[in-house]
Amino acid sequence: MDPARYFDNASTTRVDPLVWREMEPYFGEACGNANSIHQWGQRAAAGVAKARERVAEALGCSAEQVFWTSGATESNNWILRSFESVAVSPFEHSSVWETAHVLGHSLLGNDGHSLLPPDGACELVSVMVVNNETGAMLALPRTSARVHRDATQALGKVPLSLEGVDFASFSAHKLHGPKGVGGLFAADPTFLRPLMTGGGQEHGLRAGTVNVPGVVGLGAACVLAMERREEALSHVQRLRETVLDGLAKVPDCRINEGPANSPYILSVSLLGLHGESLVLYCDQSGFAVSSGAACASGSTEPSHVLTSLGIPESVARATIRVSFSIENTIETAQGLARTLAEGAEELRRLGP
Ligand code: PMP
């Protein structure tokens, strides 16, 4: 399979060979537990400490403010379970949205243009930086509450500032690092309630043996992403424009985007067809795209993000997401646009 034909990078990305090279020793000769006092343990602990410095550098914070998790889902759960009264935006990833629902937290209102300040007193407001379905970049409402931002689709991709941010979630596998590892930035860790208790790792806040190869991979992925962020950003901008140009003549094609949008994500509704049928059509031509968030695929419900944007159900169901990376090429973006146009024509001819 050709990585240049993989346009589902918001779901996950390929581990970069440079990242893999840094991780590999920690599966083998440097296999120690980072809590052990012997040489193997100390080598692992040094790898973990270096990774924490690297992640902190990418975030613009200090290493003591970075906590390891199994990914952004855990980070989001951790922070939402650390406060009693939380308000979240209606555009959040299911790991925030669903968790808020389970915990009885509230939703921020929106007037169609921006999010409204929380109703009444609330301890924490959670608003993502880049939406994972449309790429829309969200602004914070005015609030005196503490602020959590899910930065999973932003870190290493678009400029990210933690000014005024108390907590932020992120994940390695969105930036060419390994799956199953991520982190939580906490400006003041005393607010964090331990999600897991046991061995006292992470200052007693997140028990469990540290995934040493994983966090080393996350650190390496952050370095790589920050080194090539500008180059990657202008490359994905060109890729997105190429696909948009190729779709310009396709009838009944609607682009779902915010006033400010990450160029890494393109959400397109092709009215009169099912997004999933188009995903399968593209797959037969060797292209990977998705019909929504990967974690929600298999769901028969239309995306809550799209319906919260006021998009009718039939249009939400006709939506696909194209998400880019530095590994795609202009040629494959042109090929994808042709395939989408042909697929839309053929699927519409066949009818629903
Ligand atoms: N938040 C956002 C915005 C995401 O895009 C994702 C991944 N789809 C997550 C959270 C969950 O991340 P993870 O897979 O690391 O649990």
Side-chain angles (χ1 to χ4, degrees):
M1 287 193 253
D2 177 3
R5 297 171 82 91
Y6 179 80
F7 288 89
D8 195 14
N9 292 282
S11 295
T12 195
T13 56
R14 185 170 82 112
V15 172
D16 191 281
L18 293 173
V19 171
W20 169 243
R21 201 184 305 159
E22 293 212 34
M23 292 172 68
E24 206 175 354
Y26 295 93
F27 289 105
E29 81 271 10
C31 68
N33 183 321
N35 275 29
S36 301
I37 57 173
H38 48 62
Q39 285 178 46
W40 283 267
Q42 292 314 292
R43 169 126 185 243
V48 172
K50 181 170 167 191
R52 214 185 293 273
E53 292 288 347
R54 287 172 148 188
V55 173
E57 166 107 35
L59 286 164
C61 67
S62 74
E64 295 71 40
Q65 294 171 317
V66 174
F67 293 84
W68 307 125
T69 64
S70 62
T73 298
E74 182 186 327
S75 307
N76 289 338
N77 267 267
W78 191 0
I79 198 62
L80 262 67
R81 290 169 195 274
S82 290
F83 288 87
E84 292 300 326
S85 60
V86 180
V88 312
S89 95
F91 309 117
E92 296 303 297
H93 182 264
S94 53
S95 56
V96 168
W97 195 75
E98 195 59 45
T99 306
H101 180 74
V102 166
L103 297 173
H105 293 324
S106 53
L107 276 188
L108 290 166
N110 83 90
D111 63 6
H113 302 288
S114 51
L115 292 166
L116 304 173
D119 277 346
C122 111
E123 293 173 304
L124 182 80
V125 163
S126 180
V127 178
M128 69 203 320
V129 182
V130 172
N131 180 268
N132 52 299
E133 290 186 44
T134 63
M137 299 177 78
L138 273 70
L140 272 183
R142 253 181 315 107
T143 180
S144 54
R146 303 215 168 257
V147 168
H148 166 244
R149 306 219 70 178
D150 179 349
T152 308
Q153 298 289 351
L155 179 62
K157 297 184 176 195
V158 296
L160 173 69
S161 162
L162 292 183
E163 213 184 303
V165 175
D166 297 285
F167 308 98
S169 306
F170 48 93
S171 186
H173 71 108
K174 307 294 184 183
L175 52 149
H176 303 282
K179 295 166 188 50
V181 59
L184 181 66
F185 153 78
D188 179 354
T190 60
F191 284 97
L192 298 177
R193 279 188 200 156
L195 245 197
M196 277 177 285
T197 47
Q201 289 90 348
E202 302 293 281
H203 302 288
L205 291 170
R206 201 267 185 178
T209 302
V210 173
N211 172 359
V212 180
V215 303
V216 166
L218 170 55
C222 281
V223 171
L224 188 64
M226 295 311 278
E227 275 171 7
R228 63 187 190 187
R229 197 180 69 188
E230 293 312 317
E231 179 202 347
L233 197 61
S234 51
H235 182 62
V236 297
Q237 237 144 13
R238 282 199 303 276
L239 295 170
R240 194 174 187 274
E241 278 155 22
T242 303
V243 175
L244 282 172
D245 285 350
L247 292 176
K249 291 205 181 80
V250 176
D252 293 327
C253 172
R254 157 184 178 158
I255 310 303
N256 309 303
E257 58 188 351
N261 221 84
S262 163
Y264 278 86
I265 297 179
L266 172 63
S267 169
V268 188
S269 304
L270 292 135
L271 311 191
L273 53 78
H274 277 287
E276 279 175 14
S277 309
L278 190 54
V279 170
L280 294 176
Y281 185 94
C282 290
D283 187 39
Q284 280 170 5
S285 305
F287 289 107
V289 295
S290 79
S291 59
C295 7
S297 61
S299 155
T300 51
E301 292 300 307
S303 142
H304 72 267
V305 170
L306 299 179
T307 49
S308 300
L309 284 169
I311 294 176
E313 236 185 89
S314 58
V315 180
R317 288 189 198 281
T319 303
I320 60 150
R321 177 184 69 184
V322 179
S323 47
F324 305 97
S325 89
I326 199 164
E327 298 186 333
N328 301 123
T329 63
I330 297 294
E331 290 70 35
T332 57
Q334 286 165 338
L336 173 66
R338 270 195 307 274
T339 303
L340 289 171
E342 286 160 13
E345 198 180 323
E346 189 165 330
L347 293 169
R348 280 172 177 160
R349 193 156 36 79
L350 291 173

